[in-house]
């Protein structure tokens, strides 16, 4: 049971930071009419200021923020709204939690997760 709680807690942390990266990038694009690339870059820059700790390093919080910003930058989630951002964040953090032990290196893993999460967000819009 404690192992399950730890995994749930780690997933919840990843979800919160994925959601915050995605939402902040969405917020910059929708409210301030900032281009997608600038919004994602600024979100990633702000994410680097979160101080490192043993717990944060183990959960890859910085990478999770980058993925969220990348999803909001590269998908039509920004046109959709907050419900889609929440859905994409849940899907993306679940994929990240399950795929992380199997893929090595951040580049391919982050891009793959962002692609699948964006694809799920687009699929959700067409499913309605």
């Amino acid at each position: 049971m404690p192992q399950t709680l730890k995994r749930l807690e780690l997933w919840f942390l990843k979800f919160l930071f994925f959601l915050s990266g995605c939402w902040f990038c969405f917020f910059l694009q929708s409210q301030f009419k900032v281009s997608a690339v600038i919004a994602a870059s600024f979100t990633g820059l702000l994410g680097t200021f979160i101080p490192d700790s043993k717990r944060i390093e183990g959960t890859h919080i910085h990478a999770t923020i980058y993925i969220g910003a990348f999803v909001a930058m590269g998908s039509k989630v920004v046109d959709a709204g907050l419900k889609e951002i929440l859905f994409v964040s849940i899907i993306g953090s679940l994929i990240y939690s399950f795929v992380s032990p199997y893929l090595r290196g951040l580049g391919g893993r982050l891009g793959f997760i962002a692609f699948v999460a964006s694809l799920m967000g687009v699929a959700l819009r067409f499913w309605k």
Side-chain angles (χ1 to χ4, degrees):
M1 185 70 165
Q3 184 69 14
T4 305
L5 288 177
K6 183 176 180 179
R7 291 182 108 190
L8 183 62
E9 181 182 348
L10 290 176
W11 174 81
F12 189 68
L13 278 174
K14 288 178 184 182
F15 165 71
L16 285 179
F17 282 97
F18 194 106
L19 179 65
S20 65
C22 195
W23 182 82
F24 190 69
C25 187
F26 163 78
F27 179 75
L28 289 176
Q29 291 178 61
S30 63
Q31 297 300 316
F32 295 108
K33 307 298 183 218
V34 176
S35 73
V37 174
I38 299 296
S41 300
F42 189 65
T43 302
L45 178 68
L46 287 179
T48 61
F49 291 115
I50 296 174
D52 284 334
S53 70
K54 192 77 164 167
R55 181 184 194 108
I56 286 177
E57 186 61 33
T59 57
H60 302 133
I61 294 300
H62 299 101
T64 310
I65 291 172
Y66 303 150
I67 297 171
F70 187 68
V71 167
M73 175 188 76
S75 69
K76 297 291 184 184
V77 172
V78 173
D79 297 334
L82 293 174
K83 184 190 296 185
E84 282 79 7
I85 289 175
L86 184 64
F87 176 74
V88 167
S89 297
I90 291 170
I91 295 296
S93 57
L94 281 172
I95 292 170
Y96 188 70
S97 294
F98 288 120
V99 171
S100 288
Y102 303 110
L103 298 177
R104 298 291 173 226
L106 288 178
R109 181 179 5 169
L110 299 182
F112 170 74
I113 294 165
F115 171 72
V116 172
S118 298
L119 191 62
M120 295 300 285
V122 170
L124 175 71
R125 290 184 65 199
F126 287 114
W127 188 338
K128 289 181 179 180

